Amino acid sequence: MTETRDVMIKRMQMRSMRRGIKEMDLILSAYAKRNLAAMDAAGLDLYDALLHENDQDLYQWVTGQVPSPKAYADLIADIAQTFQK
């Protein structure tokens, strides 16, 4: 059975809130709430893949401590920029 867009967004919002470390809970849940509904299918697929990454890695990418993989570079930059304001 294929997941509908609405179910996919709800699943990703929940996964964004229930991470491993509190910092990523806060960052990703706020980002998901603001952006997922407006994303196209490719953007949702990329964000879904990002949610499978390790929290410690994600935190270092978002904070600029370590460069993110090229596949996620634009998404990570968007997430990071959202929270630098």
Side-chain angles (χ1 to χ4, degrees):
M1 182 178 347
T2 304
E3 197 174 42
T4 66
R5 178 181 172 84
D6 289 340
V7 170
M8 181 181 197
I9 289 172
K10 287 178 185 178
R11 176 182 54 78
M12 288 191 291
Q13 286 174 332
M14 182 60 70
R15 183 67 180 111
S16 296
M17 289 188 303
R18 304 280 190 250
R19 303 296 307 169
I21 58 175
K22 190 65 171 174
E23 292 85 348
M24 291 314 300
D25 291 350
L26 297 171
I27 291 168
L28 292 181
S29 65
Y31 182 82
K33 184 177 180 181
R34 292 179 194 163
N35 296 287
L36 290 186
M39 285 184 177
D40 62 12
L44 290 174
D45 288 342
L46 183 62
Y47 188 78
D48 195 24
L50 181 77
L51 291 176
H52 289 88
E53 297 292 339
N54 181 291
D55 265 4
Q56 286 76 18
D57 293 336
L58 285 172
Y59 185 74
Q60 289 181 335
W61 299 339
V62 170
T63 59
Q65 296 173 30
V66 175
S68 64
K70 289 185 183 204
Y72 298 128
D74 292 338
L75 179 57
I76 293 293
D78 191 35
I79 293 168
Q81 181 181 17
T82 300
F83 296 98
Q84 291 176 1
K85 295 178 182 178

Coordinates of all heavy atoms in Angstrom, one line a residue:
M1 N 0.8 -1.2 0.0 CA 0.0 0.0 0.0 C 0.9 1.2 0.0 O 1.9 1.3 0.7 CB -0.9 0.0 1.2 CG -1.8 1.2 1.2 SD -3.0 1.5 2.5 CE -3.2 0.0 3.4
T2 N 0.5 2.2 -0.8 CA 1.3 3.4 -0.9 C 0.7 4.5 0.0 O -0.5 4.6 0.2 CB 1.2 4.0 -2.4 OG1 1.7 3.0 -3.3 CG2 2.1 5.2 -2.5
E3 N 1.7 5.2 0.6 CA 1.3 6.2 1.6 C 0.8 7.5 0.8 O 1.4 7.9 -0.1 CB 2.6 6.6 2.3 CG 2.5 7.3 3.6 CD 3.9 7.4 4.3 OE1 4.9 7.7 3.6 OE2 3.9 7.2 5.5
T4 N -0.3 8.1 1.3 CA -0.7 9.3 0.7 C 0.2 10.5 1.1 O 0.9 10.4 2.1 CB -2.2 9.6 1.1 OG1 -2.2 9.9 2.5 CG2 -3.1 8.5 0.8
R5 N 0.1 11.6 0.4 CA 0.9 12.7 0.7 C 0.6 13.2 2.2 O 1.6 13.5 2.9 CB 0.6 13.8 -0.3 CG 1.4 15.1 0.0 CD 1.1 16.2 -1.0 NE 1.6 17.5 -0.7 CZ 2.9 17.8 -0.9 NH1 3.7 17.0 -1.6 NH2 3.3 19.0 -0.6
D6 N -0.6 13.3 2.5 CA -1.0 13.8 3.9 C -0.4 12.9 5.0 O 0.1 13.3 6.0 CB -2.5 13.9 4.0 CG -3.1 15.0 3.3 OD1 -2.3 16.0 2.9 OD2 -4.3 15.0 3.0
V7 N -0.5 11.6 4.8 CA 0.0 10.6 5.8 C 1.5 10.7 5.8 O 2.1 10.7 6.9 CB -0.5 9.2 5.4 CG1 0.2 8.1 6.3 CG2 -2.0 9.0 5.6
M8 N 2.1 10.9 4.7 CA 3.6 11.0 4.6 C 4.0 12.2 5.4 O 5.0 12.2 6.2 CB 4.1 11.1 3.2 CG 5.6 11.2 3.0 SD 6.0 11.3 1.3 CE 7.7 10.9 1.3
I9 N 3.4 13.4 5.2 CA 3.7 14.6 5.9 C 3.5 14.4 7.4 O 4.4 14.8 8.2 CB 2.9 15.8 5.3 CG1 3.5 16.1 3.9 CG2 3.0 17.0 6.3 CD1 2.6 17.2 3.2
K10 N 2.4 13.8 7.8 CA 2.2 13.6 9.2 C 3.2 12.7 9.9 O 3.7 13.0 11.0 CB 0.8 13.0 9.5 CG -0.3 14.1 9.2 CD -1.7 13.4 9.4 CE -2.8 14.4 9.1 NZ -4.1 13.9 9.2
R11 N 3.6 11.7 9.1 CA 4.6 10.8 9.6 C 6.0 11.5 9.8 O 6.6 11.4 10.8 CB 4.8 9.6 8.7 CG 5.9 8.6 9.1 CD 6.1 7.5 8.1 NE 6.3 7.9 6.7 CZ 7.4 8.3 6.2 NH1 8.5 8.5 7.0 NH2 7.5 8.6 4.9
M12 N 6.3 12.3 8.8 CA 7.6 13.0 8.9 C 7.5 14.1 10.0 O 8.6 14.4 10.6 CB 7.9 13.6 7.5 CG 8.4 12.5 6.5 SD 9.1 13.2 5.0 CE 7.7 13.9 4.2
Q13 N 6.4 14.7 10.2 CA 6.3 15.7 11.3 C 6.5 15.0 12.6 O 7.2 15.5 13.5 CB 4.9 16.4 11.2 CG 4.8 17.4 10.1 CD 3.4 18.0 10.0 OE1 2.4 17.4 10.3 NE2 3.4 19.2 9.5
M14 N 5.9 13.9 12.8 CA 6.1 13.1 14.0 C 7.5 12.7 14.2 O 8.1 12.8 15.3 CB 5.2 11.9 14.1 CG 5.2 11.1 15.3 SD 4.8 12.0 16.8 CE 3.1 12.2 16.6
R15 N 8.1 12.2 13.1 CA 9.5 11.7 13.2 C 10.5 12.9 13.4 O 11.5 12.8 14.1 CB 9.9 11.0 11.9 CG 11.3 10.5 11.8 CD 11.5 9.3 12.8 NE 12.8 8.8 12.8 CZ 13.7 9.0 13.7 NH1 13.4 9.6 14.9 NH2 14.9 8.5 13.6
S16 N 10.1 14.1 13.0 CA 10.9 15.3 13.2 C 10.9 15.7 14.7 O 11.8 16.2 15.2 CB 10.4 16.5 12.4 OG 10.6 16.2 11.0
M17 N 9.7 15.4 15.4 CA 9.6 15.7 16.8 C 10.2 14.7 17.7 O 10.5 15.0 18.8 CB 8.1 15.9 17.1 CG 7.4 17.0 16.6 SD 5.7 17.3 17.2 CE 4.9 15.7 16.8
R18 N 10.3 13.5 17.2 CA 10.8 12.4 18.1 C 12.1 11.9 17.6 O 12.3 10.8 17.1 CB 9.8 11.2 18.0 CG 8.4 11.6 18.4 CD 8.2 11.7 19.9 NE 6.8 11.8 20.3 CZ 6.3 12.9 20.8 NH1 7.0 14.0 21.0 NH2 5.0 12.9 21.1
R19 N 13.1 12.7 17.8 CA 14.5 12.4 17.4 C 15.2 11.8 18.6 O 14.6 11.3 19.5 CB 15.2 13.7 16.9 CG 14.6 14.5 15.8 CD 14.5 13.7 14.5 NE 15.8 13.2 14.1 CZ 16.0 12.4 13.2 NH1 15.0 11.9 12.5 NH2 17.2 12.0 12.9
G20 N 16.5 11.8 18.5 CA 17.3 11.2 19.6 C 17.8 12.2 20.6 O 17.9 12.0 21.8
I21 N 18.0 13.5 20.1 CA 18.5 14.5 20.9 C 17.6 15.7 20.9 O 17.0 16.0 19.8 CB 20.0 14.9 20.6 CG1 20.1 15.4 19.2 CG2 21.0 13.8 20.9 CD1 21.5 16.0 18.8
K22 N 17.4 16.4 22.0 CA 16.4 17.4 22.1 C 16.6 18.6 21.1 O 15.7 19.1 20.5 CB 16.4 18.0 23.5 CG 15.3 18.9 23.8 CD 14.0 18.2 23.7 CE 12.8 19.0 24.2 NZ 11.5 18.3 24.0
E23 N 17.9 18.9 20.9 CA 18.2 20.0 19.9 C 17.6 19.7 18.5 O 17.0 20.6 17.9 CB 19.7 20.2 19.8 CG 20.3 20.8 21.0 CD 20.7 19.7 22.1 OE1 20.3 18.5 22.0 OE2 21.5 20.1 23.0
M24 N 17.8 18.5 18.1 CA 17.2 18.1 16.8 C 15.7 18.0 16.8 O 15.1 18.3 15.8 CB 17.9 16.8 16.3 CG 19.4 17.0 15.9 SD 19.8 18.4 14.9 CE 18.8 18.2 13.4
D25 N 15.1 17.6 17.9 CA 13.7 17.7 18.0 C 13.2 19.1 17.8 O 12.2 19.3 17.0 CB 13.2 17.3 19.5 CG 13.4 15.9 19.9 OD1 13.8 15.0 19.0 OD2 13.3 15.6 21.0
L26 N 13.8 20.0 18.4 CA 13.4 21.4 18.3 C 13.6 22.0 16.9 O 12.7 22.6 16.3 CB 14.1 22.3 19.3 CG 13.8 22.0 20.8 CD1 14.7 22.7 21.7 CD2 12.4 22.3 21.1
I27 N 14.8 21.7 16.3 CA 15.1 22.3 15.0 C 14.2 21.6 13.9 O 13.6 22.3 13.1 CB 16.6 22.0 14.7 CG1 17.4 22.9 15.6 CG2 16.9 22.3 13.2 CD1 18.9 22.6 15.6
L28 N 14.2 20.3 13.9 CA 13.5 19.7 12.8 C 12.0 19.8 12.9 O 11.3 19.9 11.9 CB 13.9 18.2 12.7 CG 15.3 18.0 12.2 CD1 15.6 16.5 12.1 CD2 15.6 18.7 10.9
S29 N 11.4 19.7 14.1 CA 10.0 19.9 14.3 C 9.5 21.2 13.8 O 8.5 21.4 13.1 CB 9.5 19.5 15.7 OG 10.0 20.5 16.6
A30 N 10.2 22.3 14.1 CA 9.9 23.6 13.7 C 10.0 23.7 12.2 O 9.2 24.3 11.5 CB 10.7 24.7 14.4
Y31 N 11.1 23.2 11.6 CA 11.3 23.3 10.2 C 10.2 22.5 9.5 O 9.6 23.0 8.5 CB 12.7 22.7 9.8 CG 12.9 22.8 8.3 CD1 13.4 23.9 7.8 CD2 12.7 21.7 7.5 CE1 13.6 24.0 6.4 CE2 12.9 21.8 6.1 CZ 13.3 22.9 5.6 OH 13.5 23.0 4.2
A32 N 9.9 21.3 10.0 CA 8.8 20.5 9.3 C 7.5 21.2 9.3 O 6.8 21.2 8.3 CB 8.7 19.1 10.0
K33 N 7.1 21.8 10.5 CA 5.9 22.5 10.6 C 5.8 23.6 9.6 O 4.7 23.9 9.0 CB 5.7 23.0 12.0 CG 4.4 23.7 12.3 CD 4.3 24.1 13.8 CE 3.0 24.7 14.1 NZ 2.9 25.1 15.5
R34 N 6.9 24.3 9.4 CA 6.9 25.5 8.5 C 6.9 25.1 7.0 O 6.5 25.9 6.2 CB 8.1 26.4 8.8 CG 8.0 27.1 10.1 CD 9.3 27.9 10.3 NE 9.3 28.3 11.7 CZ 10.4 28.8 12.3 NH1 11.6 28.9 11.6 NH2 10.4 29.1 13.6
N35 N 7.5 24.0 6.7 CA 7.9 23.8 5.3 C 7.3 22.6 4.6 O 7.3 22.6 3.4 CB 9.4 23.7 5.2 CG 10.1 25.0 5.5 OD1 10.0 26.0 4.8 ND2 10.7 25.1 6.7
L36 N 7.0 21.5 5.3 CA 6.7 20.2 4.6 C 5.5 20.4 3.7 O 5.5 19.8 2.6 CB 6.4 19.1 5.6 CG 7.6 18.6 6.4 CD1 7.3 17.4 7.2 CD2 8.8 18.2 5.4
A37 N 4.4 21.1 4.1 CA 3.2 21.2 3.3 C 3.5 21.8 1.9 O 2.8 21.5 1.0 CB 2.1 22.0 4.1
A38 N 4.5 22.7 1.9 CA 4.8 23.4 0.6 C 5.8 22.6 -0.3 O 6.0 23.0 -1.4 CB 5.3 24.8 0.9
M39 N 6.4 21.6 0.2 CA 7.4 20.9 -0.5 C 6.8 20.0 -1.7 O 5.7 19.5 -1.5 CB 8.2 19.9 0.4 CG 9.2 20.6 1.2 SD 10.1 19.4 2.2 CE 11.3 20.4 3.0
D40 N 7.5 19.9 -2.7 CA 7.1 19.0 -3.8 C 7.5 17.6 -3.4 O 8.1 17.3 -2.4 CB 7.7 19.4 -5.2 CG 9.2 19.4 -5.2 OD1 9.9 18.8 -4.3 OD2 9.8 19.9 -6.2
A41 N 7.2 16.6 -4.3 CA 7.4 15.2 -4.0 C 8.9 14.9 -3.8 O 9.3 14.2 -2.9 CB 6.8 14.3 -5.1
A42 N 9.7 15.5 -4.7 CA 11.2 15.3 -4.5 C 11.7 15.9 -3.2 O 12.6 15.3 -2.6 CB 11.9 15.9 -5.7
G43 N 11.2 17.0 -2.8 CA 11.6 17.6 -1.6 C 11.2 16.8 -0.4 O 12.0 16.6 0.6
L44 N 10.0 16.2 -0.4 CA 9.6 15.4 0.6 C 10.4 14.1 0.7 O 10.8 13.6 1.8 CB 8.1 15.0 0.5 CG 7.1 16.2 0.7 CD1 5.7 15.7 0.3 CD2 7.1 16.7 2.1
D45 N 10.7 13.5 -0.4 CA 11.6 12.3 -0.5 C 12.9 12.6 0.1 O 13.5 11.8 0.9 CB 11.7 11.8 -1.9 CG 10.4 11.1 -2.4 OD1 9.5 10.8 -1.6 OD2 10.3 11.0 -3.6
L46 N 13.5 13.7 -0.2 CA 14.8 14.1 0.3 C 14.8 14.3 1.8 O 15.6 13.8 2.6 CB 15.4 15.4 -0.4 CG 16.8 15.8 0.0 CD1 17.8 14.7 -0.3 CD2 17.1 17.1 -0.6
Y47 N 13.7 15.0 2.3 CA 13.6 15.2 3.8 C 13.4 13.9 4.5 O 13.9 13.7 5.5 CB 12.4 16.2 4.0 CG 12.3 16.6 5.5 CD1 13.2 17.6 6.0 CD2 11.4 16.0 6.3 CE1 13.1 17.9 7.3 CE2 11.4 16.4 7.7 CZ 12.2 17.3 8.2 OH 12.2 17.7 9.5
D48 N 12.6 13.0 3.9 CA 12.4 11.7 4.5 C 13.7 10.9 4.6 O 14.0 10.3 5.6 CB 11.4 10.9 3.6 CG 10.8 9.7 4.3 OD1 10.8 9.6 5.5 OD2 10.4 8.8 3.6
A49 N 14.5 11.0 3.6 CA 15.9 10.4 3.6 C 16.7 11.0 4.7 O 17.4 10.3 5.5 CB 16.6 10.5 2.3
L50 N 16.6 12.3 4.9 CA 17.4 13.0 5.9 C 17.0 12.5 7.3 O 17.8 12.4 8.2 CB 17.2 14.5 5.8 CG 17.9 15.4 6.8 CD1 19.4 15.5 6.4 CD2 17.3 16.8 6.9
L51 N 15.7 12.2 7.5 CA 15.3 11.8 8.8 C 15.8 10.4 9.2 O 15.8 10.1 10.4 CB 13.7 11.7 8.8 CG 13.0 13.0 8.7 CD1 11.5 12.8 8.7 CD2 13.3 13.9 9.9
H52 N 16.4 9.7 8.2 CA 17.0 8.4 8.6 C 18.5 8.6 9.0 O 19.1 7.6 9.3 CB 16.9 7.5 7.4 CG 15.5 7.0 7.2 ND1 14.6 7.7 6.4 CD2 14.9 5.9 7.7 CE1 13.5 7.0 6.4 NE2 13.6 5.9 7.2
E53 N 19.0 9.8 8.9 CA 20.4 10.0 9.3 C 20.5 10.1 10.8 O 19.6 10.4 11.5 CB 20.9 11.3 8.7 CG 21.0 11.3 7.2 CD 22.0 10.3 6.6 OE1 23.0 10.0 7.3 OE2 21.9 10.0 5.4
N54 N 21.7 9.9 11.3 CA 22.0 10.0 12.7 C 21.9 11.4 13.3 O 22.4 12.3 12.6 CB 23.5 9.4 12.9 CG 23.9 9.4 14.3 OD1 24.1 10.4 14.9 ND2 24.1 8.2 14.8
D55 N 21.3 11.5 14.4 CA 21.1 12.9 15.0 C 22.4 13.6 15.3 O 22.5 14.8 15.1 CB 20.4 12.8 16.4 CG 18.9 12.9 16.2 OD1 18.4 13.1 15.1 OD2 18.2 13.0 17.2
Q56 N 23.4 12.9 15.7 CA 24.7 13.6 16.0 C 25.3 14.2 14.7 O 25.8 15.3 14.7 CB 25.7 12.7 16.7 CG 25.4 12.4 18.1 CD 24.3 11.4 18.3 OE1 23.9 10.7 17.4 NE2 23.7 11.4 19.5
D57 N 25.2 13.4 13.6 CA 25.6 13.9 12.3 C 24.8 15.1 11.8 O 25.3 16.1 11.4 CB 25.5 12.8 11.2 CG 26.5 11.7 11.5 OD1 27.5 11.9 12.2 OD2 26.3 10.6 11.0
L58 N 23.4 15.0 12.0 CA 22.6 16.1 11.6 C 22.9 17.4 12.3 O 22.9 18.4 11.7 CB 21.1 15.7 11.8 CG 20.5 14.7 10.9 CD1 19.1 14.3 11.4 CD2 20.3 15.3 9.5
Y59 N 23.1 17.2 13.6 CA 23.3 18.4 14.4 C 24.6 19.1 13.9 O 24.7 20.3 13.8 CB 23.4 18.1 15.9 CG 23.6 19.3 16.8 CD1 22.5 20.1 17.0 CD2 24.8 19.6 17.3 CE1 22.6 21.3 17.8 CE2 24.9 20.7 18.1 CZ 23.9 21.6 18.3 OH 24.0 22.7 19.1
Q60 N 25.7 18.3 13.7 CA 26.9 18.9 13.2 C 26.8 19.5 11.8 O 27.4 20.6 11.6 CB 28.0 17.8 13.2 CG 28.4 17.4 14.6 CD 29.6 16.4 14.6 OE1 29.7 15.6 13.6 NE2 30.3 16.4 15.7
W61 N 25.9 18.9 11.0 CA 25.7 19.5 9.6 C 25.0 20.8 9.8 O 25.3 21.8 9.2 CB 24.9 18.6 8.7 CG 25.6 17.3 8.5 CD1 26.9 17.0 8.6 CD2 25.0 16.1 8.1 NE1 27.1 15.6 8.3 CE2 25.9 15.1 7.9 CE3 23.6 15.7 7.8 CZ2 25.7 13.8 7.5 CZ3 23.4 14.4 7.4 CH2 24.3 13.5 7.2
V62 N 23.9 20.8 10.6 CA 23.1 22.0 10.7 C 23.8 23.2 11.3 O 23.6 24.3 11.0 CB 21.7 21.7 11.5 CG1 21.0 23.0 11.8 CG2 20.9 20.8 10.6
T63 N 24.6 22.9 12.3 CA 25.4 23.9 13.0 C 26.7 24.3 12.3 O 27.4 25.2 12.7 CB 25.7 23.5 14.4 OG1 26.5 22.3 14.4 CG2 24.5 23.3 15.3
G64 N 27.0 23.6 11.2 CA 28.2 24.0 10.4 C 29.5 23.5 10.9 O 30.6 23.8 10.5
Q65 N 29.4 22.6 11.9 CA 30.6 22.0 12.5 C 31.3 21.1 11.5 O 32.6 20.9 11.5 CB 30.3 21.2 13.8 CG 29.8 22.1 14.9 CD 29.3 21.3 16.1 OE1 29.9 20.2 16.3 NE2 28.3 21.8 16.8
V66 N 30.5 20.4 10.7 CA 31.0 19.4 9.7 C 30.2 19.7 8.4 O 29.0 19.9 8.5 CB 30.8 18.0 10.2 CG1 31.2 17.0 9.1 CG2 31.5 17.7 11.5
P67 N 30.9 19.6 7.3 CA 30.1 19.8 6.0 C 29.1 18.6 5.8 O 29.4 17.5 6.1 CB 31.2 19.8 4.9 CG 32.5 19.9 5.6 CD 32.3 19.5 7.0
S68 N 28.0 19.0 5.3 CA 27.0 17.9 5.0 C 27.3 17.2 3.7 O 28.0 17.8 2.9 CB 25.6 18.5 5.0 OG 25.5 19.4 3.9
P69 N 26.8 16.0 3.5 CA 26.9 15.3 2.2 C 26.3 16.2 1.1 O 25.3 16.9 1.4 CB 26.1 14.0 2.4 CG 26.1 13.8 3.9 CD 26.1 15.2 4.5
K70 N 26.8 16.1 0.0 CA 26.3 17.0 -1.2 C 24.8 16.7 -1.4 O 24.1 17.7 -1.8 CB 27.1 16.7 -2.4 CG 28.5 17.2 -2.3 CD 29.3 17.1 -3.6 CE 30.7 17.6 -3.4 NZ 31.3 18.0 -4.6
A71 N 24.3 15.5 -1.3 CA 22.9 15.3 -1.5 C 22.0 16.1 -0.6 O 20.9 16.4 -1.0 CB 22.6 13.8 -1.3
Y72 N 22.5 16.4 0.6 CA 21.7 17.1 1.5 C 22.1 18.6 1.7 O 21.5 19.4 2.4 CB 21.8 16.5 2.9 CG 21.3 15.1 3.1 CD1 22.1 14.1 3.6 CD2 20.0 14.8 2.6 CE1 21.7 12.8 3.8 CE2 19.6 13.5 2.8 CZ 20.4 12.5 3.3 OH 19.9 11.2 3.5
A73 N 23.1 19.1 0.9 CA 23.6 20.4 1.2 C 22.6 21.5 1.1 O 22.6 22.4 2.0 CB 24.7 20.6 0.1
D74 N 21.8 21.6 0.1 CA 20.8 22.6 0.0 C 19.7 22.6 1.1 O 19.3 23.6 1.7 CB 20.1 22.6 -1.4 CG 21.0 23.0 -2.5 OD1 22.1 23.7 -2.2 OD2 20.7 22.7 -3.7
L75 N 19.3 21.4 1.4 CA 18.3 21.2 2.5 C 18.9 21.6 3.8 O 18.2 22.3 4.6 CB 17.8 19.7 2.5 CG 16.8 19.4 3.6 CD1 15.5 20.2 3.5 CD2 16.4 17.9 3.4
I76 N 20.1 21.1 4.1 CA 20.7 21.5 5.4 C 20.9 23.0 5.5 O 20.7 23.6 6.5 CB 22.1 20.7 5.5 CG1 21.8 19.2 5.7 CG2 22.9 21.3 6.7 CD1 21.1 18.8 7.0
A77 N 21.3 23.6 4.4 CA 21.5 25.1 4.4 C 20.2 25.8 4.6 O 20.1 26.8 5.4 CB 22.1 25.5 3.0
D78 N 19.1 25.3 4.1 CA 17.8 25.8 4.3 C 17.4 25.7 5.8 O 16.9 26.6 6.4 CB 16.7 25.2 3.4 CG 15.4 25.9 3.4 OD1 15.4 27.2 3.5 OD2 14.4 25.3 3.3
I79 N 17.6 24.5 6.4 CA 17.3 24.3 7.8 C 18.1 25.2 8.6 O 17.6 25.8 9.6 CB 17.5 22.8 8.1 CG1 16.5 21.9 7.4 CG2 17.4 22.6 9.6 CD1 16.8 20.4 7.5
A80 N 19.4 25.3 8.4 CA 20.3 26.1 9.2 C 19.9 27.6 9.1 O 19.9 28.3 10.1 CB 21.7 25.9 8.7
Q81 N 19.6 28.0 7.9 CA 19.3 29.4 7.7 C 18.0 29.8 8.4 O 17.9 30.9 9.0 CB 19.1 29.7 6.2 CG 18.8 31.2 5.9 CD 18.6 31.4 4.4 OE1 18.4 30.5 3.6 NE2 18.6 32.7 4.0
T82 N 17.1 28.9 8.5 CA 15.8 29.1 9.2 C 16.1 29.5 10.6 O 15.4 30.3 11.2 CB 14.9 27.9 9.1 OG1 14.6 27.6 7.7 CG2 13.6 28.1 9.8
F83 N 17.1 28.9 11.2 CA 17.3 29.1 12.7 C 18.4 30.1 13.0 O 18.7 30.3 14.2 CB 17.5 27.7 13.3 CG 16.3 26.9 13.2 CD1 16.2 25.9 12.2 CD2 15.2 27.1 14.0 CE1 15.0 25.2 12.0 CE2 14.0 26.4 13.8 CZ 14.0 25.4 12.9
Q84 N 19.0 30.7 12.0 CA 20.0 31.7 12.2 C 19.3 33.1 12.3 O 19.9 34.1 12.7 CB 21.0 31.7 11.1 CG 21.9 30.5 11.2 CD 22.9 30.4 10.1 OE1 23.0 31.3 9.2 NE2 23.7 29.4 10.0
K85 N 18.0 33.2 12.0 CA 17.3 34.4 12.0 C 16.9 34.8 13.4 O 16.6 34.0 14.2 CB 16.1 34.4 11.1 CG 16.6 34.2 9.6 CD 15.3 34.1 8.7 CE 15.8 33.9 7.3 NZ 14.7 33.7 6.4

